[in-house]
Amino acid sequence: MRTSAHALIATCCLALVGPAMAADTLTIATVNNSDMIRMQRLSKTFEEQHPDIKLNWVVLEENVLRQRLTTDIATQGGQFDVLTIGMYEASLWGAKNWLAPMKDLPADYKLDDVFPSVREGLSVNGQLYALPFYAESSITYYRTDLFKAAGLTMPEKPTWDQISEFASKLTDKSKDQYGLCLRGKPGWGENIALITTLANGYGGTWFNAQWAPQFNTPAWKDALNFYVTNMKQSGPPGASSNGFNENLALFNSGKCAIWVDASVAGSFVTDKAQSKVTDSVGFTFAPHQRTEKGTSWLYSWALAIPASSKKQEAAKTFAMWATSADYAKLVADKDGIANVPPGTRASTYSDAYMKAAPFAKVTLESLKMADPAASADKPYVGIQLVTIPEFQATGTAVGKIFSGALTGQTTVDQALAAAQASTERDMKRAGYPK
C-alpha cells in the first residue's frame, strides 16, 4: 500500500510538471530577405534563453507572404503566431482589431529609443500594433569605379534626368553591364513602390482631393514614359521579373551601374560575403525631378501578433527580443556592426555605426525627410502606397498593367488608360469618397 501511494503521488506530480515543461511552438511567417534570414539563424540564441519556446519558420517571397498573411488574418485562420508585416498592414489590421496591441512593454525594451515616425507608422490612434524590425527609405546605389572610369560625378541629390544620362553612358550590354536597375516585378510593394516615388518626383499623386485617380495626368505620363524608356535602353533583360532580391543579386554581381531601391540593402552591398563590388559602391539620395516631395519612401518590416494566436505571450516575448537593442548588439557581435537592422532606433546611429556603415548618413537623412501624411495634394497617408484597404488589390492590378508596358505588351498610353479605368472602377465599387 505504501509503494502504491508513492507511485500515485509521483504520477500526480508528473501530471502537474509535464504541461509546465512543454514548449510553446511559435509559427513565424517572414520574408526571404537577408535580414530576416539572419534573424532566423540568430534565433537559436533566443531558444537557448527561452527553452520553453520553440520556433517554426515559414519564409516566403514578398508577394507570396503578403497574400498568405492577408488571407489568414482576414479569415482568422490562425496559422501563424508572429507575422512580418509593414506599416500598411499594421495600421489597417490594427484598426480592425485583427492584431494584438503591443501594450505594457517593459522599460528595458526602451520604446522611446524607437524613432517617432516609425512608431506612428505602426500605430492606430496612438496604440502600437507591431514592433519594428527595421525601417527603410529608398536611396541610390552606384558604382564609383564605373563613374570614375567614365569621367562622371554623381550629385548628392540627382535628378531622374541625370540618372538617365549616366545610365545610358554606363550601359554596355556586350559586357553584361547595365546602367540602371529598377524594380519590374508586379506588386503593390514591388514595382509600384518604385514607380510611385518616380511619379511623385514628377508631381503626380494616386488620387486628388476628391479621390479621383490621376493616371490621366501629364505627371504620370512623363513618369511612366521615363521608366519604360530607360529600363528598355539601360536595364537588364527580364526586368519585369526583378524585384528587390533579384536586383540586389545583379548589383552585387557587378552587373548594375546604378540601382535605386530600399536603404536596407546598404549592409548587403558592403558585405564581402555577398558582394563582388564592396569596395566601389557609392550611396546618395533617391532621385527627384520637378519636386523632392515623396521621392524617397518610408517603410518598416515589423513583427506583429494576430489576435487569433493562442500563444500571444510567447509571441510577444519573441517579438520584443528580435526588435530589441540587445538583438542589435547580438548582430553586431556576430556579423559586424554595419549589419545591425537599420532605421528603427536612435541608439543604432552611434559614432561606431556611422563610421562602419557608409550608407548610414544617407539612410538617416532620408528617413527624417520622408513624410507620409495626408496633405492638400493628396487625401491619403503614404508615400509609395495608399493606406486604404483597397490598395492591396488595386495597387497590384496597376502593377501588372505597368509590367505589361515594360514588356511591350501595351504602350505607355494604353497602360495609363487601363490603370485609370481599373482604379476608377475599384474606387467606385468601394464607395469613395467616403
Side-chain angles (χ1 to χ4, degrees):
M1 289 294 294
R2 191 172 175 185
T3 302
S4 298
H6 285 163
L8 180 62
I9 292 169
T11 301
C12 291
C13 290
L14 284 172
L16 290 171
V17 173
M21 294 179 65
D24 275 330
T25 298
L26 301 177
T27 299
I28 303 168
T30 197
V31 66
N32 65 336
N33 71 27
S34 296
D35 275 307
M36 276 60 175
I37 292 169
R38 177 182 289 116
M39 174 173 62
Q40 182 182 8
R41 171 168 54 84
L42 295 181
S43 66
K44 293 176 183 177
T45 299
F46 174 84
E47 290 182 298
E48 290 168 0
Q49 295 171 350
H50 302 84
D52 56 332
I53 302 175
K54 299 299 180 187
L55 307 178
N56 174 42
W57 293 84
V58 179
V59 183
L60 301 168
E61 186 270 331
E62 187 170 329
N63 283 341
V64 177
L65 174 75
R66 289 191 171 112
Q67 291 167 359
R68 286 277 300 274
L69 296 190
T70 299
T71 299
D72 189 65
I73 197 99
T75 61
Q76 301 292 294
Q79 292 183 50
F80 308 108
D81 302 296
V82 178
L83 314 176
T84 305
I85 62 173
M87 292 179 170
Y88 173 80
E89 294 93 349
S91 58
L92 293 176
W93 296 355
K96 290 179 177 289
N97 297 314
W98 288 352
L99 302 175
M102 293 293 186
K103 292 181 176 179
D104 304 319
L105 298 174
D108 61 4
Y109 183 74
K110 301 176 184 176
L111 184 59
D112 289 345
D113 185 38
V114 177
F115 290 123
S117 61
V118 178
R119 295 201 307 264
E120 291 163 10
L122 297 171
S123 299
V124 178
N125 297 325
Q127 174 57 60
L128 192 65
Y129 280 95
L131 300 180
F133 182 69
Y134 69 71
E136 65 183 28
S137 192
S138 49
I139 65 175
T140 301
Y141 303 90
Y142 65 99
R143 290 277 302 282
T144 55
D145 56 337
L146 298 179
F147 268 70
K148 184 177 180 180
L152 302 174
T153 302
M154 175 69 81
E156 183 182 36
K157 294 186 176 181
T159 65
W160 278 110
D161 282 346
Q162 288 173 319
I163 293 294
S164 175
E165 180 185 349
F166 298 149
S168 177
K169 291 179 178 178
L170 296 174
T171 297
D172 187 344
K173 295 184 179 181
S174 67
K175 295 181 180 179
D176 215 14
Q177 178 180 304
Y178 304 98
L180 183 61
C181 290
L182 300 174
R183 297 187 187 192
K185 181 184 290 186
W188 69 266
E190 284 282 9
N191 65 341
I192 287 300
L194 186 285
I195 296 172
T196 299
T197 59
L198 174 58
N200 292 344
Y202 277 91
T205 60
W206 264 71
F207 302 100
N208 67 10
Q210 289 73 46
W211 289 99
Q214 298 295 289
F215 297 110
N216 56 4
T217 60
W220 270 98
K221 183 171 183 176
D222 290 346
L224 195 60
N225 264 320
F226 177 96
Y227 173 79
V228 171
T229 299
N230 282 274
M231 288 298 285
K232 286 181 177 179
Q233 289 179 352
S234 303
S240 62
S241 299
N242 294 344
F244 172 81
N245 283 331
E246 292 80 9
N247 281 323
L248 171 63
L250 285 169
F251 190 87
N252 279 347
S253 64
K255 295 181 180 180
C256 295
I258 304 169
W259 177 37
V260 182
D261 213 297
S263 59
V264 72
S267 64
F268 310 152
V269 301
T270 54
D271 181 357
K272 291 185 184 298
Q274 298 186 51
S275 175
K276 296 179 180 179
V277 297
T278 54
D279 296 327
S280 54
V281 181
F283 310 88
T284 196
F285 294 91
H288 65 281
Q289 191 60 25
R290 295 173 188 150
T291 176
E292 292 187 14
K293 188 174 182 180
T295 56
S296 191
W297 67 57
L298 176 66
Y299 193 72
S300 172
W301 278 116
L303 302 182
I305 303 167
S308 58
S309 172
K310 295 179 172 57
K311 304 164 186 175
Q312 291 185 19
E313 282 304 313
K316 185 177 177 182
T317 298
F318 174 78
M320 288 191 298
W321 175 83
T323 60
S324 67
D326 287 342
Y327 175 81
K329 184 178 184 303
L330 177 65
V331 173
D333 291 344
K334 296 287 187 180
D335 293 349
I337 191 170
N339 292 303
V340 168
T344 60
R345 291 180 172 271
S347 59
T348 296
Y349 291 84
S350 63
D351 289 344
Y353 178 75
M354 297 295 282
K355 185 177 180 180
F359 50 85
K361 181 180 178 182
V362 172
T363 297
L364 186 58
E365 290 303 313
S366 298
L367 286 166
K368 287 179 179 178
M369 290 189 297
D371 182 9
S375 66
D377 301 37
K378 58 185 180 74
Y380 54 89
V381 174
I383 297 174
Q384 78 283 11
L385 52 81
V386 181
T387 310
I388 57 174
E390 295 76 20
F391 184 72
Q392 184 162 351
T394 299
T396 296
V398 173
K400 291 177 180 177
I401 292 169
F402 289 171
S403 180
L406 182 58
T407 59
Q409 294 175 328
T410 64
T411 66
V412 166
D413 286 345
Q414 289 170 337
L416 289 169
Q420 181 75 13
S422 172
T423 307
E424 283 179 350
R425 186 167 56 249
D426 289 349
M427 298 303 284
K428 183 177 181 180
R429 187 182 300 124
Y432 281 82
K434 297 292 187 183

